[in-house]
């Protein structure tokens, strides 16, 4: 007999086309509040409620002057926001500044001898490297001189950086920022092909690489992927004429890949000619692009989110100061990778603009064992810690009691990237934080530059599992599919949007402004000709619920993006990779719940006539996905199915496959063109006996429903 819940599901599915987000009732246990520790409040940057009032809605947009004034400007801005051409906002109009100057030069007066970056190599026997602000200044200048004079990079040019977590990565980024060269950092774990596609899209003629790095106890030969990247870019019509290669161990090349004469150069060799050189920071317009960050969306092609100079730096500096409570005295460690937006905003730009000490760790958290992060924290006396639910789950699983063994003390901890289960939150709070640290659960996206929802660490109580209220100056709303507001306390889910622009929001999609408009603003815009910013809410593509207390709980993506371990993976990208194999006729990728990584991709393929299912095809699919995208996209399972469940118009019903992979109710399938296939696939995936059905999380229930 069907439970009431299943009945509801079936009814919903019958009306599939009419189902709105808001009709999905969300039942979850309300969690109790935790108060911020008194000791934390006593020293917090944001402890004065009158500061919060400065960001009231009627003070918009000038409220954000409070963030911009944390920076040093060469020329002050005339106007906070120019919204005359929605949704292409202009922030701090007329202002001029240099990001590198703000993160490096201006800290010399007071902090030149203070550690800016501390590099922790993965091999535990290898010494840590401390880079002071003075040393950072010198190194960044030399690299800037080299990029300008040797690589012939000019203000406005794009450069693609495919590097692991070594200090040369932020040094290179800051050198670009000094020149006004737009960097596009590609996560080190992406394949050479993925890097090449991004390099081509951004129009980079210079690639910056490292020879290799340590990861999980192994040496990764990274330079080899540079050759693939150059070839891939060339196929896309982009010539790369310089590949600059950093050595992980200066003076010692550690890659099997040969250097190509006239194209590949070792940075440590070339830099000899630039020793001691300094470069004037280029005074940049507040609206000049600072960097591109490619991210996955609903189509196969990743999009280059273009971030601006002034607004972005103001926003990350303000949020890092007030939400992460960074003071210059703090030792701050964010375990994310600089190759993602989290690393850009909250390892490099925010913390350095605040003169903090930012720790850079090369490797994986649980290497060589689950005590490693806590040994690093103890050794460096880290007091602000920042990581993802996936890392927390992993560390808890591998060593629930490890933190107790080490004498470190955090005042503040961040979680970011995916919803955190209240249980996992409590372990973070009790065991990792030793009940001494305040936690902020920060919801945001690559596109948004910085935090959108979070508790104010000294002022708001924490609630496990909820990101919390919107941050200063952000005014969200939840709408259903029909544009009706889903009210607080209604226990209904809907699409979270931000009603107003803010300085951290991306400027556009590189080379595709039309896609920028359709992707983020079209859905709830009623009048495309309107020149009033109030008509242009930002559509985040996340589902959310809002209880009466105003604490947003983010349910996950409502599009066909899968959040794997806090990283975005476009299902279409993975599907296109599968379809490059001559054996594969059709491919569908769906999310499956994973107890550590949150979600993982599961691949369904059907084969061309005459090709018999065998293990070799499955292995080929895995290798192909890893080659085209990278190991991060490796599927948990590959199911070879006789046919895909399809609508009468031939559309693959990914929702049905997602339900099967997660042992959820497949709902109404009577309208399919081939309903019998569903049971066949179910048996193939789950085996013969029908186990108990799972309720399943909201994002999987909704998966594939968006047009
Ligand atoms: C997606 C954005 C934010 C930087 C790292 C990821 C999910 C992010 C949270 C959170 C629940 C979260 C959303 C969002 N997400 N933070 N605190 N609680 N979900 O950036 O790769 O652009 O991914 O991550 O689904 O849309 P990203």
């Amino acid at each position: 007999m069907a439970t009431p819940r299943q009945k509801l599901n079936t009814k919903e599915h019958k009306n599939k086309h009419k189902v709105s987000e808001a009709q999905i009732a969300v039942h979850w246990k309300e969690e109790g509040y935790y108060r911020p520790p008194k000791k934390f409040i006593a020293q917090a940057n944001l402890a004065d409620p009158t500061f919060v009032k400065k960001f009231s809605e009627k003070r918009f947009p000038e409220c954000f002057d409070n963030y911009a004034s944390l920076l040093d400007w060469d020329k002050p801005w005339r106007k906070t926001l120019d919204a005359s051409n929605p949704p292409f906002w202009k922030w701090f109009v007329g202002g001029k500044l240099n990001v590198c100057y703000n993160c490096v030069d201006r800290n010399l007066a007071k902090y030149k001898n203070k550690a800016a970056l501390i590099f922790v190599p993965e091999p535990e026997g290898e010494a840590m490297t401390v880079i002071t602000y003075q040393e950072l200044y010198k190194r960044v200048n030399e690299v800037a001189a080299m990029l300008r004079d040797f690589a012939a990079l000019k203000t406005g040019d794009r450069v693609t950086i495919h590097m692991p977590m070594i200090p040369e990565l932020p040094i290179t980024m800051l050198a670009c920022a000094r020149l006004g060269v737009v960097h596009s950092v590609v996560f080190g774990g992406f394949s050479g092909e993925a890097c090449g596609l991004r390099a081509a899209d951004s129009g980079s003629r210079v690639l910056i690489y490292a020879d290799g790095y340590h990861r999980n106890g192994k040496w990764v030969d990274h330079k080899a992927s540079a050759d693939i990247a150059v070839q891939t870019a060339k196929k896309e019509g982009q010539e790369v004429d310089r590949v600059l290669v950093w050595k992980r161990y200066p003076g010692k090349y550690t890659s099997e890949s040969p250097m190509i004469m006239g194209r590949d150069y070792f940075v440590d060799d070339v830099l000899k000619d630039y020793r001691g050189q300094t470069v004037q920071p280029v005074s940049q317009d507040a609206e000049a692009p600072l960097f591109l960050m490619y991210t996955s969306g609903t189509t196969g092609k990743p999009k280059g989110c273009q971030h601006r100079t002034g607004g972005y730096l103001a926003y990350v500096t303000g949020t890092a100061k007030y939400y992460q409570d960074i003071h210059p005295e703090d030792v701050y460690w964010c375990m994310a990778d600089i190759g993602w937006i989290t690393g850009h905003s909250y390892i490099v730009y925010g913390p350095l603009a605040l003169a903090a000490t930012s720790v850079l760790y090369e490797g994986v958290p649980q290497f060589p064992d689950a005590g490693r992060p806590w040994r690093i924290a103890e050794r460096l006396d880290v007091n602000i810690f920042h990581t993802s639910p996936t890392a927390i789950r992993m560390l808890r699983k591998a060593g629930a009691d490890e933190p107790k063994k080490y004498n470190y003390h955090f005042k503040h901890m961040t979680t970011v990237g995916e919803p955190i289960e209240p249980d996992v939150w409590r372990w973070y709070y009790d065991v990792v934080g030793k009940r001494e640290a305040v936690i902020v659960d920060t919801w945001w996206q690559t596109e948004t530059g910085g935090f959108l929802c979070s508790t104010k660490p000294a002022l708001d109580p924490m609630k496990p599992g909820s990101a919390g209220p919107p941050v200063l100056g952000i005014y969200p709303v939840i709408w259903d599919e029909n544009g009706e507001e889903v009210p607080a306390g209604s226990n209904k889910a809907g699409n979270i949007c931000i009603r107003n622009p803010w300085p951290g929001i991306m400027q556009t999609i590189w080379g595709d402004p039309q896609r920028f408009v359709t992707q983020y603003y079209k859905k709830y815009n009623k009048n495309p000709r309107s020149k009033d910013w109030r008509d242009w809410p930002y559509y985040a593509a996340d589902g959310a619920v809002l209880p009466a207390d105003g604490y947003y709980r983010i349910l996950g993506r409502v599009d066909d993006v899968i959040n794997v371990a806090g990283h975005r993976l476009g299902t279409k990208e993975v599907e296109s990779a599968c379809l490059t194999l001559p054996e594969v006729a059709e491919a569908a990728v769906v999310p499956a719940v994973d107890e550590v990584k949150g979600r993982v991709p599961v691949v369904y393929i059907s084969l061309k006539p005459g090709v018999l299912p065998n293990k070799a095809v499955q292995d080929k699919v895995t290798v192909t996905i890893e080659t085209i995208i990278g190991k991060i996209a490796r599927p948990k399972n590959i199911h070879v199915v006789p046919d895909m469940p399809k609508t009468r118009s031939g559309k693959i019903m990914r929702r049905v496959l997602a339900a099967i992979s997660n042992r959820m109710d497949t709902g109404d399938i009577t309208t399919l063109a081939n309903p019998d296939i569903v049971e066949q696939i179910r048996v193939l995936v789950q085996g013969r006996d029908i186990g108990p059905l799972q309720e399943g999380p909201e994002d999987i229930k909704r998966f594939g429903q968006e047009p």
Side-chain angles (χ1 to χ4, degrees), residues 295 341-342 415-419 441-447 467 540 542 554 556-557 563 566-568:
T295 190
I341 192 71
T342 303
T415 163
V416 65
E418 357 149 31
D441 178 347
T442 57
W443 168 68
W444 58 297
Q445 307 174 311
T446 303
E447 292 85 343
D542 271 323
I554 307 299
R557 304 289 305 191
N563 191 332
H567 303 309
R568 252 153 86 169

PDB file of all heavy atoms in Angstrom, residues 295 341-342 415-419 441-447 467 540 542 554 556-557 563 566-568, ligand 1:
ATOM      1  N   THR A 295      32.333  27.887 -15.042  1.00  0.00           N
ATOM      2  CA  THR A 295      31.503  27.002 -14.226  1.00  0.00           C
ATOM      3  C   THR A 295      30.493  26.299 -15.110  1.00  0.00           C
ATOM      4  O   THR A 295      30.225  26.728 -16.232  1.00  0.00           O
ATOM      5  CB  THR A 295      30.822  27.776 -13.081  1.00  0.00           C
ATOM      6  OG1 THR A 295      30.221  26.827 -12.192  1.00  0.00           O
ATOM      7  CG2 THR A 295      29.747  28.715 -13.580  1.00  0.00           C
ATOM      8  N   ILE A 341      35.914  29.228  -7.058  1.00  0.00           N
ATOM      9  CA  ILE A 341      35.631  30.599  -6.610  1.00  0.00           C
ATOM     10  C   ILE A 341      35.916  30.768  -5.118  1.00  0.00           C
ATOM     11  O   ILE A 341      36.378  31.822  -4.690  1.00  0.00           O
ATOM     12  CB  ILE A 341      34.168  31.006  -6.963  1.00  0.00           C
ATOM     13  CG1 ILE A 341      33.943  32.505  -6.765  1.00  0.00           C
ATOM     14  CG2 ILE A 341      33.174  30.229  -6.153  1.00  0.00           C
ATOM     15  CD1 ILE A 341      34.613  33.399  -7.748  1.00  0.00           C
ATOM     16  N   THR A 342      35.643  29.742  -4.326  1.00  0.00           N
ATOM     17  CA  THR A 342      35.901  29.868  -2.885  1.00  0.00           C
ATOM     18  C   THR A 342      37.349  30.271  -2.634  1.00  0.00           C
ATOM     19  O   THR A 342      37.641  31.127  -1.805  1.00  0.00           O
ATOM     20  CB  THR A 342      35.607  28.539  -2.154  1.00  0.00           C
ATOM     21  OG1 THR A 342      34.261  28.170  -2.428  1.00  0.00           O
ATOM     22  CG2 THR A 342      35.801  28.660  -0.663  1.00  0.00           C
ATOM     23  N   THR A 415      31.416  26.770   6.731  1.00  0.00           N
ATOM     24  CA  THR A 415      31.102  25.642   5.855  1.00  0.00           C
ATOM     25  C   THR A 415      30.470  26.220   4.587  1.00  0.00           C
ATOM     26  O   THR A 415      29.751  27.214   4.633  1.00  0.00           O
ATOM     27  CB  THR A 415      30.202  24.578   6.521  1.00  0.00           C
ATOM     28  OG1 THR A 415      29.640  23.749   5.494  1.00  0.00           O
ATOM     29  CG2 THR A 415      29.073  25.186   7.316  1.00  0.00           C
ATOM     30  N   VAL A 416      30.785  25.603   3.462  1.00  0.00           N
ATOM     31  CA  VAL A 416      30.337  26.146   2.179  1.00  0.00           C
ATOM     32  C   VAL A 416      30.226  25.058   1.115  1.00  0.00           C
ATOM     33  O   VAL A 416      30.935  24.069   1.168  1.00  0.00           O
ATOM     34  CB  VAL A 416      31.324  27.216   1.649  1.00  0.00           C
ATOM     35  CG1 VAL A 416      32.679  26.615   1.322  1.00  0.00           C
ATOM     36  CG2 VAL A 416      30.767  27.917   0.398  1.00  0.00           C
ATOM     37  N   GLY A 417      29.329  25.252   0.175  1.00  0.00           N
ATOM     38  CA  GLY A 417      29.337  24.439  -1.036  1.00  0.00           C
ATOM     39  C   GLY A 417      28.163  23.511  -1.195  1.00  0.00           C
ATOM     40  O   GLY A 417      27.785  23.180  -2.308  1.00  0.00           O
ATOM     41  N   GLU A 418      27.584  23.047  -0.100  1.00  0.00           N
ATOM     42  CA  GLU A 418      26.447  22.128  -0.185  1.00  0.00           C
ATOM     43  C   GLU A 418      25.712  22.226   1.141  1.00  0.00           C
ATOM     44  O   GLU A 418      26.269  22.729   2.119  1.00  0.00           O
ATOM     45  CB  GLU A 418      26.875  20.665  -0.396  1.00  0.00           C
ATOM     46  CG  GLU A 418      28.335  20.449  -0.543  1.00  0.00           C
ATOM     47  CD  GLU A 418      28.831  19.107  -0.032  1.00  0.00           C
ATOM     48  OE1 GLU A 418      28.092  18.119  -0.076  1.00  0.00           O
ATOM     49  OE2 GLU A 418      29.961  19.068   0.426  1.00  0.00           O
ATOM     50  N   PRO A 419      24.499  21.718   1.154  1.00  0.00           N
ATOM     51  CA  PRO A 419      23.782  21.707   2.427  1.00  0.00           C
ATOM     52  C   PRO A 419      24.515  20.795   3.416  1.00  0.00           C
ATOM     53  O   PRO A 419      25.069  19.765   3.022  1.00  0.00           O
ATOM     54  CB  PRO A 419      22.416  21.114   2.060  1.00  0.00           C
ATOM     55  CG  PRO A 419      22.298  21.224   0.572  1.00  0.00           C
ATOM     56  CD  PRO A 419      23.696  21.175   0.042  1.00  0.00           C
ATOM     57  N   ASP A 441      27.423  29.022   8.016  1.00  0.00           N
ATOM     58  CA  ASP A 441      27.105  28.189   6.855  1.00  0.00           C
ATOM     59  C   ASP A 441      26.788  29.179   5.737  1.00  0.00           C
ATOM     60  O   ASP A 441      25.765  29.855   5.755  1.00  0.00           O
ATOM     61  CB  ASP A 441      25.894  27.310   7.192  1.00  0.00           C
ATOM     62  CG  ASP A 441      25.447  26.431   6.024  1.00  0.00           C
ATOM     63  OD1 ASP A 441      25.903  26.655   4.884  1.00  0.00           O
ATOM     64  OD2 ASP A 441      24.620  25.533   6.265  1.00  0.00           O
ATOM     65  N   THR A 442      27.710  29.282   4.780  1.00  0.00           N
ATOM     66  CA  THR A 442      27.600  30.348   3.787  1.00  0.00           C
ATOM     67  C   THR A 442      27.084  29.803   2.465  1.00  0.00           C
ATOM     68  O   THR A 442      27.694  28.925   1.861  1.00  0.00           O
ATOM     69  CB  THR A 442      28.978  30.999   3.555  1.00  0.00           C
ATOM     70  OG1 THR A 442      29.908  29.986   3.155  1.00  0.00           O
ATOM     71  CG2 THR A 442      29.478  31.659   4.820  1.00  0.00           C
ATOM     72  N   TRP A 443      25.959  30.330   2.043  1.00  0.00           N
ATOM     73  CA  TRP A 443      25.401  29.943   0.742  1.00  0.00           C
ATOM     74  C   TRP A 443      25.756  31.005  -0.294  1.00  0.00           C
ATOM     75  O   TRP A 443      25.527  32.199  -0.056  1.00  0.00           O
ATOM     76  CB  TRP A 443      23.884  29.804   0.806  1.00  0.00           C
ATOM     77  CG  TRP A 443      23.278  29.685  -0.568  1.00  0.00           C
ATOM     78  CD1 TRP A 443      23.426  28.628  -1.424  1.00  0.00           C
ATOM     79  CD2 TRP A 443      22.477  30.655  -1.257  1.00  0.00           C
ATOM     80  NE1 TRP A 443      22.755  28.888  -2.599  1.00  0.00           N
ATOM     81  CE2 TRP A 443      22.164  30.128  -2.530  1.00  0.00           C
ATOM     82  CE3 TRP A 443      21.993  31.921  -0.913  1.00  0.00           C
ATOM     83  CZ2 TRP A 443      21.384  30.810  -3.459  1.00  0.00           C
ATOM     84  CZ3 TRP A 443      21.223  32.608  -1.842  1.00  0.00           C
ATOM     85  CH2 TRP A 443      20.919  32.049  -3.107  1.00  0.00           C
ATOM     86  N   TRP A 444      26.311  30.587  -1.406  1.00  0.00           N
ATOM     87  CA  TRP A 444      26.603  31.484  -2.524  1.00  0.00           C
ATOM     88  C   TRP A 444      26.985  30.654  -3.728  1.00  0.00           C
ATOM     89  O   TRP A 444      26.816  29.439  -3.716  1.00  0.00           O
ATOM     90  CB  TRP A 444      27.674  32.515  -2.154  1.00  0.00           C
ATOM     91  CG  TRP A 444      29.005  31.980  -1.700  1.00  0.00           C
ATOM     92  CD1 TRP A 444      29.242  31.224  -0.581  1.00  0.00           C
ATOM     93  CD2 TRP A 444      30.277  32.179  -2.330  1.00  0.00           C
ATOM     94  NE1 TRP A 444      30.580  30.947  -0.479  1.00  0.00           N
ATOM     95  CE2 TRP A 444      31.240  31.518  -1.530  1.00  0.00           C
ATOM     96  CE3 TRP A 444      30.704  32.862  -3.469  1.00  0.00           C
ATOM     97  CZ2 TRP A 444      32.605  31.513  -1.859  1.00  0.00           C
ATOM     98  CZ3 TRP A 444      32.052  32.854  -3.785  1.00  0.00           C
ATOM     99  CH2 TRP A 444      32.988  32.184  -2.984  1.00  0.00           C
ATOM    100  N   GLN A 445      27.505  31.278  -4.774  1.00  0.00           N
ATOM    101  CA  GLN A 445      27.781  30.595  -6.034  1.00  0.00           C
ATOM    102  C   GLN A 445      28.959  31.254  -6.751  1.00  0.00           C
ATOM    103  O   GLN A 445      29.286  32.406  -6.459  1.00  0.00           O
ATOM    104  CB  GLN A 445      26.572  30.705  -6.970  1.00  0.00           C
ATOM    105  CG  GLN A 445      25.279  30.250  -6.351  1.00  0.00           C
ATOM    106  CD  GLN A 445      24.088  30.494  -7.247  1.00  0.00           C
ATOM    107  OE1 GLN A 445      23.913  31.587  -7.768  1.00  0.00           O
ATOM    108  NE2 GLN A 445      23.266  29.477  -7.428  1.00  0.00           N
ATOM    109  N   THR A 446      29.504  30.551  -7.735  1.00  0.00           N
ATOM    110  CA  THR A 446      30.578  31.108  -8.552  1.00  0.00           C
ATOM    111  C   THR A 446      30.171  32.478  -9.098  1.00  0.00           C
ATOM    112  O   THR A 446      30.964  33.411  -9.145  1.00  0.00           O
ATOM    113  CB  THR A 446      30.864  30.158  -9.727  1.00  0.00           C
ATOM    114  OG1 THR A 446      31.193  28.881  -9.180  1.00  0.00           O
ATOM    115  CG2 THR A 446      32.008  30.659 -10.587  1.00  0.00           C
ATOM    116  N   GLU A 447      28.929  32.583  -9.500  1.00  0.00           N
ATOM    117  CA  GLU A 447      28.420  33.796 -10.127  1.00  0.00           C
ATOM    118  C   GLU A 447      28.346  34.973  -9.170  1.00  0.00           C
ATOM    119  O   GLU A 447      28.385  36.125  -9.592  1.00  0.00           O
ATOM    120  CB  GLU A 447      26.995  33.549 -10.669  1.00  0.00           C
ATOM    121  CG  GLU A 447      26.887  32.587 -11.831  1.00  0.00           C
ATOM    122  CD  GLU A 447      26.800  31.116 -11.402  1.00  0.00           C
ATOM    123  OE1 GLU A 447      27.150  30.801 -10.232  1.00  0.00           O
ATOM    124  OE2 GLU A 447      26.385  30.296 -12.230  1.00  0.00           O
ATOM    125  N   ALA A 467      21.483  27.863   6.104  1.00  0.00           N
ATOM    126  CA  ALA A 467      22.479  28.886   5.818  1.00  0.00           C
ATOM    127  C   ALA A 467      22.200  30.135   6.657  1.00  0.00           C
ATOM    128  O   ALA A 467      23.114  30.784   7.138  1.00  0.00           O
ATOM    129  CB  ALA A 467      22.480  29.230   4.338  1.00  0.00           C
ATOM    130  N   ALA A 540      18.835  32.212  -8.969  1.00  0.00           N
ATOM    131  CA  ALA A 540      20.018  31.458  -8.538  1.00  0.00           C
ATOM    132  C   ALA A 540      19.998  29.994  -8.969  1.00  0.00           C
ATOM    133  O   ALA A 540      21.014  29.318  -8.860  1.00  0.00           O
ATOM    134  CB  ALA A 540      20.153  31.544  -7.019  1.00  0.00           C
ATOM    135  N   ASP A 542      18.595  27.627  -7.384  1.00  0.00           N
ATOM    136  CA  ASP A 542      18.587  26.781  -6.189  1.00  0.00           C
ATOM    137  C   ASP A 542      17.184  26.767  -5.607  1.00  0.00           C
ATOM    138  O   ASP A 542      16.499  27.799  -5.604  1.00  0.00           O
ATOM    139  CB  ASP A 542      19.535  27.343  -5.117  1.00  0.00           C
ATOM    140  CG  ASP A 542      20.957  26.816  -5.244  1.00  0.00           C
ATOM    141  OD1 ASP A 542      21.110  25.621  -5.593  1.00  0.00           O
ATOM    142  OD2 ASP A 542      21.900  27.577  -5.002  1.00  0.00           O
ATOM    143  N   ILE A 554      18.802  26.016   2.080  1.00  0.00           N
ATOM    144  CA  ILE A 554      19.017  25.777   0.660  1.00  0.00           C
ATOM    145  C   ILE A 554      18.884  24.280   0.383  1.00  0.00           C
ATOM    146  O   ILE A 554      19.506  23.458   1.057  1.00  0.00           O
ATOM    147  CB  ILE A 554      20.418  26.280   0.225  1.00  0.00           C
ATOM    148  CG1 ILE A 554      20.617  27.757   0.638  1.00  0.00           C
ATOM    149  CG2 ILE A 554      20.625  26.075  -1.269  1.00  0.00           C
ATOM    150  CD1 ILE A 554      19.639  28.745   0.028  1.00  0.00           C
ATOM    151  N   GLY A 556      19.223  22.834  -2.803  1.00  0.00           N
ATOM    152  CA  GLY A 556      20.076  22.363  -3.896  1.00  0.00           C
ATOM    153  C   GLY A 556      19.578  22.832  -5.252  1.00  0.00           C
ATOM    154  O   GLY A 556      18.550  23.500  -5.364  1.00  0.00           O
ATOM    155  N   ARG A 557      20.309  22.429  -6.267  1.00  0.00           N
ATOM    156  CA  ARG A 557      20.068  22.928  -7.618  1.00  0.00           C
ATOM    157  C   ARG A 557      18.715  22.480  -8.155  1.00  0.00           C
ATOM    158  O   ARG A 557      18.279  21.360  -7.917  1.00  0.00           O
ATOM    159  CB  ARG A 557      21.163  22.403  -8.559  1.00  0.00           C
ATOM    160  CG  ARG A 557      22.571  22.742  -8.136  1.00  0.00           C
ATOM    161  CD  ARG A 557      22.915  24.178  -8.289  1.00  0.00           C
ATOM    162  NE  ARG A 557      22.704  24.674  -9.635  1.00  0.00           N
ATOM    163  CZ  ARG A 557      23.138  25.865 -10.047  1.00  0.00           C
ATOM    164  NH1 ARG A 557      23.806  26.656  -9.218  1.00  0.00           N
ATOM    165  NH2 ARG A 557      22.906  26.263 -11.271  1.00  0.00           N
ATOM    166  N   ASN A 563      25.750  18.713  -7.772  1.00  0.00           N
ATOM    167  CA  ASN A 563      26.728  19.247  -6.840  1.00  0.00           C
ATOM    168  C   ASN A 563      27.513  18.080  -6.232  1.00  0.00           C
ATOM    169  O   ASN A 563      27.070  17.440  -5.291  1.00  0.00           O
ATOM    170  CB  ASN A 563      25.989  20.044  -5.761  1.00  0.00           C
ATOM    171  CG  ASN A 563      26.937  20.848  -4.904  1.00  0.00           C
ATOM    172  OD1 ASN A 563      28.091  20.480  -4.725  1.00  0.00           O
ATOM    173  ND2 ASN A 563      26.451  21.942  -4.366  1.00  0.00           N
ATOM    174  N   GLY A 566      30.539  19.478  -3.347  1.00  0.00           N
ATOM    175  CA  GLY A 566      30.609  20.939  -3.314  1.00  0.00           C
ATOM    176  C   GLY A 566      31.104  21.544  -4.614  1.00  0.00           C
ATOM    177  O   GLY A 566      31.363  22.733  -4.674  1.00  0.00           O
ATOM    178  N   HIS A 567      31.242  20.736  -5.656  1.00  0.00           N
ATOM    179  CA  HIS A 567      31.670  21.270  -6.949  1.00  0.00           C
ATOM    180  C   HIS A 567      30.623  20.992  -8.002  1.00  0.00           C
ATOM    181  O   HIS A 567      30.032  19.926  -8.044  1.00  0.00           O
ATOM    182  CB  HIS A 567      33.007  20.665  -7.373  1.00  0.00           C
ATOM    183  CG  HIS A 567      34.073  20.894  -6.365  1.00  0.00           C
ATOM    184  ND1 HIS A 567      34.341  22.136  -5.862  1.00  0.00           N
ATOM    185  CD2 HIS A 567      34.898  20.044  -5.737  1.00  0.00           C
ATOM    186  CE1 HIS A 567      35.304  22.040  -4.980  1.00  0.00           C
ATOM    187  NE2 HIS A 567      35.666  20.784  -4.871  1.00  0.00           N
ATOM    188  N   ARG A 568      30.459  21.960  -8.854  1.00  0.00           N
ATOM    189  CA  ARG A 568      29.390  21.863  -9.834  1.00  0.00           C
ATOM    190  C   ARG A 568      29.779  21.056 -11.043  1.00  0.00           C
ATOM    191  O   ARG A 568      30.814  21.280 -11.648  1.00  0.00           O
ATOM    192  CB  ARG A 568      29.051  23.259 -10.291  1.00  0.00           C
ATOM    193  CG  ARG A 568      27.744  23.700  -9.759  1.00  0.00           C
ATOM    194  CD  ARG A 568      27.754  25.156  -9.664  1.00  0.00           C
ATOM    195  NE  ARG A 568      27.354  25.724 -10.921  1.00  0.00           N
ATOM    196  CZ  ARG A 568      27.073  27.014 -11.034  1.00  0.00           C
ATOM    197  NH1 ARG A 568      27.186  27.807 -10.004  1.00  0.00           N
ATOM    198  NH2 ARG A 568      26.698  27.493 -12.176  1.00  0.00           N
TER     199      ARG A 568
HETATM  200  C1  LIG B   1      26.019  25.843  -5.659  1.00  0.00           C
HETATM  201  C2  LIG B   1      27.085  26.754  -6.176  1.00  0.00           C
HETATM  202  C3  LIG B   1      29.753  28.811  -3.082  1.00  0.00           C
HETATM  203  C4  LIG B   1      31.106  28.532  -3.510  1.00  0.00           C
HETATM  204  C5  LIG B   1      31.360  27.088  -3.757  1.00  0.00           C
HETATM  205  C6  LIG B   1      30.390  26.446  -4.705  1.00  0.00           C
HETATM  206  C7  LIG B   1      25.402  24.996  -3.574  1.00  0.00           C
HETATM  207  C8  LIG B   1      26.765  26.475  -2.075  1.00  0.00           C
HETATM  208  C9  LIG B   1      25.809  26.156  -0.154  1.00  0.00           C
HETATM  209  C10 LIG B   1      25.353  26.107   1.203  1.00  0.00           C
HETATM  210  C11 LIG B   1      23.654  24.668   0.490  1.00  0.00           C
HETATM  211  C12 LIG B   1      25.117  25.405  -1.111  1.00  0.00           C
HETATM  212  C13 LIG B   1      24.206  25.619  -4.239  1.00  0.00           C
HETATM  213  C14 LIG B   1      24.800  26.589  -5.221  1.00  0.00           C
HETATM  214  N1  LIG B   1      25.746  25.619  -2.306  1.00  0.00           N
HETATM  215  N2  LIG B   1      26.823  26.793  -0.787  1.00  0.00           N
HETATM  216  N3  LIG B   1      25.973  26.771   2.187  1.00  0.00           N
HETATM  217  N4  LIG B   1      24.265  25.346   1.462  1.00  0.00           N
HETATM  218  N5  LIG B   1      24.043  24.654  -0.793  1.00  0.00           N
HETATM  219  O1  LIG B   1      30.169  27.271  -5.810  1.00  0.00           O
HETATM  220  O2  LIG B   1      30.378  25.604  -7.641  1.00  0.00           O
HETATM  221  O3  LIG B   1      29.213  27.799  -8.002  1.00  0.00           O
HETATM  222  O4  LIG B   1      28.180  25.998  -6.604  1.00  0.00           O
HETATM  223  O5  LIG B   1      26.487  25.169  -4.503  1.00  0.00           O
HETATM  224  O6  LIG B   1      23.469  24.629  -4.890  1.00  0.00           O
HETATM  225  O7  LIG B   1      23.971  26.883  -6.316  1.00  0.00           O
HETATM  226  P1  LIG B   1      29.510  26.671  -7.094  1.00  0.00           P
END
